[in-house]
Amino acid sequence: MTYDERMQKVSVLGAAGKMGSGILLLTAVEMCNLSLKPENRGKSFVLYAIDISEEGLNGLMKYLKVQIRRIAEKKMVWLREVYAHRADLIENGQIIEEYIFDVMNLVRPITAIEAAFNSNLIFEAIAENQDFKVKIFKKIDQNNQGKPWIFTNTSSIPISVLNKEAGLDGRILGFHFYNPPAVQHLVELITIKENTRQMKEFAIAYAKSLKKVVVPSNDFAGFIGNGHFMRDALHCIAEAENLMKEFSFAESIYIINKISQDYLVRPMGIFQLIDYVGIDVVRFILAVMNPYNPSENLHSPLLDSLFDLNVKGGQNSDGSQKDGLLKYEKGKPVAVFDLQKRDYISISEFSAKCDEYLGALPEKWQPWKSVNFSKNKEELLKAYFAAIKGMDTVGAQLAKVCHNRSAQIGKQLVNSGVANSDEDVNTVLLTGFYHAYGPINNYLQ
Amino acid sequence: MKKMQKKIYMAAGYNTISMGTGRKEFNPKKERPGLEYYITEAGRGTLAQINGAVNVDESVIGNFMASRFNNQGHLAGFIPMIDEGLKFKPSIRVEAACASGGMALITGIKNVLAGADTVLTIGVEVQNTMKAIYGADVLAGAGWYKKRKEGHAYFFPDQFGKRAGAYFDKYGKDYTRKGLSRWYANAIENARLCPTAQEYHNTNPDPESTCFKMEPNGKSFVDYLNVLDCSKVSDAASAIAILSETGLIKCGIDRKDAVEVVGFATSERNITLEPSDLTVMETIKDAAHKALANAGVSIHDLATIETHDCFTIAGILSVEALGFAKPGEGADFVFKGNTARNGLIPINTTGGLIGWGHPTGGTGVHQAVTIWEQLTGRTGEAQIEISEKKPYGLSINMGGDDVSVVTIVYKKEL
């Protein structure tokens, strides 16, 4: 089966979800582009958008329409060539409308899993629940005579476990997009020894066509991305808990969030990132990873407590941030949840006290946005961390501790065989987490 | 037109800000003023300098495509909105693509020749109502519709890109791009001196090398021009009064505060045909020399020119069409600084279409306002020296790809 033939019948499971909708969009566009090739004219390309939520599927179709338009507007030069044979399509606007129709026309929103029984390729982006995934995979595989390939978006469950439990004979691999899939350039590719060469080549070809950066990760729970994020988060939680001896809960969270954002020059603080992913999701990932890492305790009672109080974070269907550890206004944190008071406390009430405790940021400091998009990024970072290295304020000390721990986690991922190289770890953090620099670096040496 | 049959003047010019990307206050995600706002601001700006609408006999409004950019036709009906005093007075809308503003001026001049004493002339376009990729469809209306299908996504950048490509082939790519980049830098440097210019806030320390280093990329844009070679998408209006000698008196305007229109021409090329030579702007050449002949002056009598640099290559080709440089030498003429504000012939002294902005149907009137400002010493920081030996200005306003051209020669009152 050629690449184009396999892409003629595809399903996305969990298509209305946060990750599924992005995967569906990218796949629908890819399939449409294939269908528009002269040699594929007249051939049928069908993409089943499978989800349990009717409401979610309605929202999905609206999301698709908006996003396909954006994509079309950016490739107008190419689209005019593609539709050159259509005498009725003259203006850019007409061609864009036709392209939107052509992409959406191959998407079949449906709530029945049976739709996947005839697909050659199945992308899975359902809840991060091993038993549920295994059950669904088994059902599809038993009813699909075409021996479909399954690309799972799991961010933590070992692929070899899913393969064995569902009896897939190596017809599954990890194809882990980052959130949001339509924007983030990174894909972690997790293959297992049972995968065929054709399957791996197809996965790489598909990623390349989507213009994704592929980083191979070995099949260890959490892979590279969550392998770093979860341990980094747990370390920061521990640092915050340490501060709670002197500061309130909210103040401690604020301080470490500031350290992990401003002092480490990251796009968001660690607690904002936990909210972005969702406290419930982070707990789930930790729970998946923990049994596979017996020498570590990948678990946070603090996150359990927040979860029990229904403080969960995550995102609304329109992509806006839900309140979690932090409360947000127009996407920016304005208050911190206080576990003792069980309510949000405005950051303005205590930020001055905490900022004074941390001391001033070095003069060389610039926010992540300025640094990350600067042509002189490397020099800016070197100068900034050189300044931090020579400072003994509390802020600088905490920054050094958190920076070194992040580097240590990165090294650990390489040493334990999760990642093949320092570069792979750094690429994941740079492209999947939008960090301005990789965790394995020499800035503080 | 051979000679002016009577004395015609222009005075009381007004430009709104040219709004669009580049201006700090521009936010494409927020609601912005529409046609009504720009027409009113410009119209009232002129009325305030001629002692009110009572002195206006007729009005002309030039506009290209409000019917598509703003879903609005029938623009003459907006003239009485400017001032109650314009109610029941004659008003007309004219269209000649990007030469609509120039054609409005010519219509105003003809109205004065026909007996009116004061004509309020406005040019307007509000284009930021849609993304550039859809705006390209609208602007393609300045070409022949039957060519749209085979045309490029960015229709006019490609049309003029082909002119640049032909010039590259004949005279060398780097040689040409050096001239184009200097043209761009002049536009930016001049615009920085004019508070209403779209590039007024531009702080690039070296626009010339920025433009030169930006290689044209046909995959995302067009083959032979980069985005800096192109004028921007603009919202703006300009207004000016066209007056007879009696009109000057009625409006209480001293001759020294006016410029005399000493010659003009319009020229038209068949829109259904390709240019006979991509490296020559034959209609501009025709119209410019006719206007100069009518005025009885040569290019060496000109103190300043406003030319239609919708694309940098159009600037270079205009210089050649006027005769400042031989074919193929225009790029070098510009590169050496001859068209800079302190050069042999200062061109587009407030930025032109690339620096000040290009509100398509308004551009022709903006050019007249700029020449009037320069010849009467009103240009503020952008003022150039006007010597008594060279008291003339020239504006060249083009519609489509060298299809409709309006040229006007102005004289400073000595």
Side-chain angles (χ1 to χ4, degrees):
Chain A
M1 196 180 284
T2 66
Y3 179 87
D4 289 15
E5 285 166 350
R6 187 161 295 278
M7 290 298 287
Q8 280 187 257
K9 294 177 187 174
V10 182
S11 288
V12 174
L13 308 177
K18 191 164 64 174
M19 299 300 290
S21 57
I23 296 168
L24 187 101
L25 168 70
L26 296 173
T27 308
V29 168
E30 169 69 358
M31 289 169 70
C32 182
N33 293 350
L34 295 174
S35 76
L36 290 169
K37 285 161 69 174
E39 62 267 33
N40 286 333
R41 273 182 212 151
K43 291 180 187 168
S44 155
F45 283 76
V46 178
L47 174 58
Y48 287 105
I50 305 171
D51 201 281
I52 52 170
S53 166
E54 290 273 15
E55 192 186 353
L57 289 171
N58 283 340
L60 170 70
M61 299 313 278
K62 286 178 188 162
Y63 164 80
L64 284 183
K65 192 174 176 188
V66 172
Q67 296 301 323
I68 298 164
R69 176 179 297 280
R70 285 187 185 160
I71 290 168
E73 287 169 350
K74 286 180 189 159
K75 52 184 184 188
M76 199 60 236
V77 174
W78 176 75
L79 283 177
R80 284 194 79 88
E81 287 171 22
V82 168
Y83 288 101
H85 65 290
R86 288 280 301 272
D88 58 320
L89 301 175
I90 295 166
E91 296 201 326
N92 294 340
Q94 291 173 302
I95 291 169
I96 287 169
E97 293 302 330
E98 184 68 13
Y99 184 68
I100 294 169
F101 173 79
D102 283 346
V103 176
M104 295 191 72
N105 195 33
L106 56 80
V107 178
R108 310 277 187 276
I110 190 163
T111 53
I113 190 74
E114 287 77 8
F117 293 174
N118 194 32
S119 289
N120 302 323
L121 176 66
I122 294 157
F123 289 94
E124 173 271 309
I126 60 177
E128 195 70 342
N129 180 320
Q130 183 178 315
D131 293 343
F132 186 46
K133 284 182 198 281
V134 167
K135 189 178 151 194
I136 295 281
F137 294 160
K138 267 187 181 170
K139 186 171 181 184
I140 292 172
D141 203 49
Q142 284 164 5
N143 289 282
N144 186 322
Q145 303 307 309
K147 295 195 176 298
W149 290 352
I150 295 174
F151 284 17
T152 172
N153 191 55
T154 179
S155 63
S156 57
I157 305 167
I159 308 305
S160 51
V161 172
L162 293 171
N163 179 53
K164 190 180 165 196
E165 297 289 318
L168 294 169
D169 299 328
R171 283 179 287 104
I172 182 170
L173 55 73
F175 202 89
H176 180 214
F177 288 90
Y178 274 68
N179 185 25
V183 178
Q184 295 279 38
H185 291 301
L186 179 68
V187 164
E188 269 182 292
L189 180 63
I190 307 105
T191 56
I192 54 175
K193 64 179 188 303
E194 293 88 346
N195 292 149
T196 60
R197 183 175 53 82
Q198 290 89 340
M199 193 175 172
K200 292 178 195 172
E201 284 173 357
F202 175 92
I204 288 169
Y206 171 78
K208 193 178 168 191
S209 197
L210 265 50
K211 296 189 170 56
K212 297 294 182 192
V213 174
V214 177
V215 173
S217 170
N218 293 315
D219 192 25
F220 291 84
F223 316 120
I224 299 173
N226 280 332
H228 185 277
F229 171 37
M230 292 301 132
R231 291 176 175 95
D232 197 37
L234 288 175
H235 173 253
C236 287
I237 289 170
E239 289 293 339
E241 285 170 336
N242 195 34
L243 283 170
M244 285 173 205
K245 294 168 195 162
E246 286 181 63
F247 291 88
S248 72
F249 181 91
E251 288 166 348
S252 306
I253 295 296
Y254 167 82
I255 288 170
I256 297 301
N257 200 59
K258 185 180 169 87
I259 293 290
S260 53
Q261 178 166 15
D262 293 349
Y263 281 80
L264 296 189
V265 200
R266 289 181 180 177
M268 57 175 78
I270 193 76
F271 296 116
Q272 189 177 353
L273 181 59
I274 290 172
D275 282 348
Y276 179 77
V277 172
I279 291 169
D280 50 344
V281 177
V282 171
R283 280 180 77 243
F284 218 105
I285 295 169
L286 286 169
V288 170
M289 288 172 65
N290 205 22
Y292 295 101
N293 295 278
S295 62
E296 298 175 86
N297 180 22
L298 300 178
H299 174 241
S300 167
L302 185 143
L303 295 183
D304 291 347
S305 305
L306 290 164
F307 181 80
D308 291 343
L309 290 169
N310 207 28
V311 177
K312 290 183 183 170
Q315 285 152 31
N316 293 306
S317 57
D318 64 357
S320 60
Q321 181 64 50
K322 288 181 186 171
D323 294 338
L325 257 164
L326 306 169
K327 184 181 175 67
Y328 301 87
E329 277 178 17
K330 293 182 181 172
K332 290 188 176 169
V334 292
V336 181
F337 188 80
D338 195 292
L339 207 50
Q340 284 107 29
K341 293 185 179 172
R342 299 192 174 188
D343 198 4
Y344 289 96
I345 301 174
S346 171
I347 287 174
S348 61
E349 285 183 29
F350 54 76
S351 59
K353 172 190 164 189
C354 298
D355 294 348
E356 192 185 343
Y357 170 73
L358 292 175
L361 279 155
E363 271 184 30
K364 302 267 185 195
W365 179 81
Q366 288 183 36
W368 167 82
K369 201 172 179 182
S370 310
V371 174
N372 199 44
F373 299 105
S374 167
K375 286 177 189 165
N376 307 317
K377 184 169 90 166
E378 194 58 29
E379 287 104 85
L380 291 175
L381 287 166
K382 276 182 186 167
Y384 167 72
F385 280 109
I388 281 284
K389 194 178 169 186
M391 287 169 64
D392 57 3
T393 60
V394 176
Q397 297 299 338
L398 278 170
K400 281 181 254 191
V401 169
C402 291
H403 184 274
N404 288 336
R405 174 61 185 145
S406 171
Q408 191 188 14
I409 295 166
K411 276 288 184 193
Q412 181 189 338
L413 289 168
V414 180
N415 295 338
S416 60
V418 179
N420 293 334
S421 66
D422 293 0
E423 191 190 349
D424 283 353
V425 174
N426 286 348
T427 303
V428 168
L429 272 295
L430 284 162
T431 54
F433 290 79
Y434 266 126
H435 284 192
Y437 56 93
I440 304 173
N441 58 64
N442 296 319
Y443 294 138
L444 287 181
Q445 285 171 16
Chain B
M1 279 300 299
K2 292 293 180 194
K3 292 280 177 193
M4 298 300 290
Q5 291 156 335
K6 68 180 189 185
K7 282 188 176 286
I8 308 271
Y9 297 88
M10 289 195 198
Y14 187 93
N15 294 322
T16 68
I17 283 172
S18 178
M19 189 56 70
T21 56
R23 293 290 306 192
K24 281 182 183 170
E25 63 271 50
F26 178 70
N27 183 344
K29 290 179 181 167
K30 288 192 177 166
E31 200 176 342
R32 291 176 303 283
L35 274 175
E36 304 82 354
Y37 171 86
Y38 286 100
I39 293 169
T40 305
E41 183 188 332
R44 288 181 184 168
T46 290
L47 292 183
Q49 300 174 67
I50 60 170
N51 286 320
V54 66
N55 291 318
V56 174
D57 296 321
E58 300 181 16
S59 298
V60 184
I61 184 163
N63 172 265
F64 175 26
M65 275 286 191
S67 53
R68 291 194 67 185
F69 281 124
N70 318 99
N71 298 316
Q72 181 64 60
H74 206 173
L75 293 197
F78 288 91
I79 295 294
M81 180 193 64
I82 298 168
D83 191 292
E84 185 73 11
L86 298 173
K87 188 178 176 184
F88 299 145
K89 288 188 176 177
S91 180
I92 185 169
R93 174 258 178 96
V94 296
E95 188 271 311
C98 300
S100 298
M103 214 58 87
L105 294 171
I106 297 302
T107 307
I109 289 168
K110 288 181 176 175
N111 286 355
V112 175
L113 288 173
D117 287 321
T118 306
V119 178
L120 173 64
T121 309
I122 296 175
V124 66
E125 206 78 55
V126 174
Q127 301 175 269
N128 282 295
T129 52
M130 55 182 71
K131 290 183 180 176
I133 196 69
Y134 303 104
D137 285 334
V138 176
L139 296 172
W144 185 27
Y145 186 68
K146 288 195 173 175
K147 290 283 182 184
R148 180 67 188 113
K149 176 62 187 172
E150 67 190 61
H152 195 276
Y154 296 95
F155 186 83
F156 269 101
D158 183 63
Q159 289 283 108
F160 281 84
K162 284 176 182 150
R163 285 187 177 274
Y167 203 98
F168 292 178
D169 290 344
K170 254 186 181 173
Y171 307 116
K173 183 182 170 187
D174 276 3
Y175 162 78
T176 310
R177 292 200 69 237
K178 279 183 183 175
L180 301 180
S181 301
R182 186 60 237 167
W183 186 279
Y184 169 74
N186 288 346
I188 299 304
E189 286 160 7
N190 287 337
R192 283 178 188 151
L193 303 172
C194 178
T196 56
Q198 201 162 329
E199 292 285 3
Y200 179 60
H201 299 131
N202 188 313
T203 56
N204 184 346
D206 188 3
E208 187 169 358
S209 64
T210 303
C211 186
F212 189 75
K213 285 176 192 165
M214 193 184 285
E215 272 287 322
N217 179 356
K219 282 187 181 171
S220 56
F221 192 50
V222 297
D223 287 333
Y224 306 107
L225 295 175
N226 65 41
V227 290
L228 301 181
D229 287 308
C230 309
S231 53
K232 293 187 141 189
V233 177
S234 312
D235 299 347
S238 295
I240 199 163
I242 301 175
L243 307 126
S244 66
E245 289 182 287
T246 308
L248 281 180
I249 295 164
K250 275 188 188 171
C251 294
I253 294 172
D254 191 288
R255 279 173 198 266
K256 287 211 172 336
D257 292 323
V259 289
E260 186 183 349
V261 174
V262 292
F264 68 89
T266 64
S267 187
E268 206 74 30
R269 183 176 75 75
N270 183 345
I271 197 171
T272 66
L273 299 179
E274 293 298 316
S276 51
D277 181 344
L278 286 172
T279 60
V280 177
M281 304 282 260
E282 55 184 355
T283 319
I284 284 185
K285 189 174 181 179
D286 178 70
H289 289 289
K290 277 179 183 163
L292 289 167
N294 291 344
V297 301
S298 83
I299 55 170
H300 305 297
D301 298 315
L302 297 172
T304 183
I305 297 170
E306 285 295 304
T307 196
H308 197 100
D309 62 334
C310 43
F311 303 93
T312 50
I313 187 66
I316 304 282
L317 296 179
S318 294
V319 165
E320 293 182 8
L322 283 164
F324 283 106
K326 291 178 187 164
E329 294 179 4
D332 189 51
F333 184 82
V334 171
F335 177 68
K336 286 182 174 158
N338 289 306
T339 58
R341 58 186 307 99
N342 57 356
L344 185 72
I345 175 67
I347 300 184
N348 293 359
T349 56
T350 60
L353 283 66
I354 288 171
W356 189 82
H358 184 26
T360 45
T363 288
V365 182
H366 168 257
Q367 292 176 325
V369 174
T370 303
I371 298 273
W372 167 73
E373 286 175 339
Q374 286 291 6
L375 296 186
T376 59
R378 288 175 154 78
T379 325
E381 273 195 81
Q383 183 66 47
I384 56 165
E385 194 184 331
I386 306 291
S387 89
E388 292 199 358
K389 290 179 187 168
K390 289 184 171 187
Y392 297 96
L394 169 70
S395 65
I396 301 169
N397 187 202
M398 170 173 65
D401 184 1
D402 197 36
V403 171
S404 299
V405 178
V406 176
T407 48
I408 301 174
V409 183
Y410 312 76
K411 182 172 182 261
K412 174 187 167 95
E413 285 293 295
L414 299 172

